[in-house]
Amino acid sequence: MWFSKGLCVNHEILLSKLHFYGIQGITIDWFRSYLTNRQKKVEIKSTNWTQNLVSDWGILQHGVPHGSIVEPLLFLVYINDLPLRINFLAEPVLFADCTSVIISNRSFIEFATTANLVLAHMIEWFSANKLVLNLGKTNIMKFVPNNLPYCALTIGHKDKYIEEAVHLKFLGIQIDDHLNWKNHIDQIVPKLSAACHMVRQMCHICNNNNLK
């Protein structure tokens, strides 16, 4: 799953969840100070006008400062209650804004029904928490034995459908629908070859300790 606005969480909802998980007193005041009253403006550079277009300053009500150490942690806190909506149907795997859901079923029809039901529950949760699921960047992959015929999946919401992928990149690993690692090997072999070539070139000027 991909979120349309990345880690653009609502400050009040995030602070209420931190309080629910026991972050209170001076600590919650620190997080409130860290998140709130931040301002931004937009500048549009153009070659057609004599000067750039600049908006007024606006106070941010959503989002965590990018590049901070606590950014992914705060987002995980924000979505930590998502599994409560779908645990009885599927197994969610939370990893910041690249979150996955595992659904298992021997019946293709029941699998498709469950997948659509899970998606509906998740979209309801997103709406309640002021997030938007980016269906255009979300994929679904089904793992099936090689001897079974292909059956197309139709998983979507309000005339927008999730694209079924036969291979994709998940947390740096290339995965296909038959768990064949050829695509991943093809991706890393050139990188390993380049690294080995650099090591061979350096062996003439570096000792063994530096090469290690």
Side-chain angles (χ1 to χ4, degrees), residues 1-210:
M1 300 181 302
W2 286 89
F3 299 88
S4 291
K5 298 180 181 179
L7 307 184
C8 196
V9 300
N10 178 270
H11 292 162
E12 291 303 319
I13 294 178
L14 174 58
L15 290 170
S16 67
K17 292 188 178 188
L18 287 170
H19 187 273
F20 175 79
Y21 291 126
I23 308 299
Q24 302 175 15
I26 296 176
T27 307
I28 195 68
D29 290 339
W30 183 91
F31 276 110
R32 182 176 289 105
S33 174
Y34 176 72
L35 293 170
T36 58
N37 294 322
R38 289 181 176 270
Q39 296 183 332
K40 73 171 182 179
K41 67 177 180 178
V42 177
E43 180 178 357
I44 302 177
K45 295 183 178 181
S46 176
T47 57
N48 299 328
W49 297 291
T50 56
Q51 62 182 16
N52 299 333
L53 299 178
V54 182
S55 70
D56 296 330
W57 286 99
I59 297 178
L60 293 173
Q61 297 180 345
H62 298 77
V64 179
H66 290 288
S68 63
I69 297 176
V70 297
E71 177 186 16
L73 176 61
L74 291 177
F75 190 79
L76 285 175
V77 170
Y78 197 88
I79 65 174
N80 189 59
D81 59 311
L82 170 60
L84 297 177
R85 294 297 303 270
I86 59 175
N87 268 339
F88 64 101
L89 293 170
E91 179 183 350
V93 181
L94 305 183
F95 191 84
D97 61 338
C98 185
T99 297
S100 301
V101 177
I102 301 174
I103 303 172
S104 301
N105 202 303
R106 293 181 179 274
S107 168
F108 177 79
I109 296 177
E110 292 180 3
F111 173 79
T113 301
T114 302
N116 276 294
L117 186 58
V118 168
L119 179 61
H121 281 299
M122 293 176 66
I123 289 177
E124 289 179 1
W125 183 91
F126 295 147
S127 177
N129 287 271
K130 298 185 178 181
L131 291 173
V132 179
L133 178 64
N134 189 338
L135 293 178
K137 294 183 66 176
T138 298
N139 296 110
I140 187 168
M141 176 181 289
K142 62 178 186 289
F143 302 98
V144 297
N146 292 326
N147 58 347
L148 290 183
Y150 172 77
C151 295
L153 275 173
T154 304
I155 311 298
H157 179 74
K158 291 184 177 179
D159 298 326
K160 294 183 179 180
Y161 298 95
I162 298 177
E163 181 181 355
E164 182 179 351
V166 294
H167 63 83
L168 50 78
K169 188 175 182 179
F170 178 68
L171 301 181
I173 301 177
Q174 296 286 338
I175 302 177
D176 68 16
D177 55 351
H178 294 296
L179 295 180
N180 183 319
W181 302 107
K182 183 179 183 303
N183 288 327
H184 185 66
I185 293 172
D186 291 342
Q187 288 284 330
I188 64 175
V189 164
K191 298 178 181 178
L192 291 175
S193 177
C196 290
H197 176 73
M198 292 178 62
V199 171
R200 286 196 299 269
Q201 295 297 316
M202 293 173 61
C203 68
H204 303 291
I205 58 176
C206 297
N207 57 42
N208 290 336
N209 291 331
N210 290 334

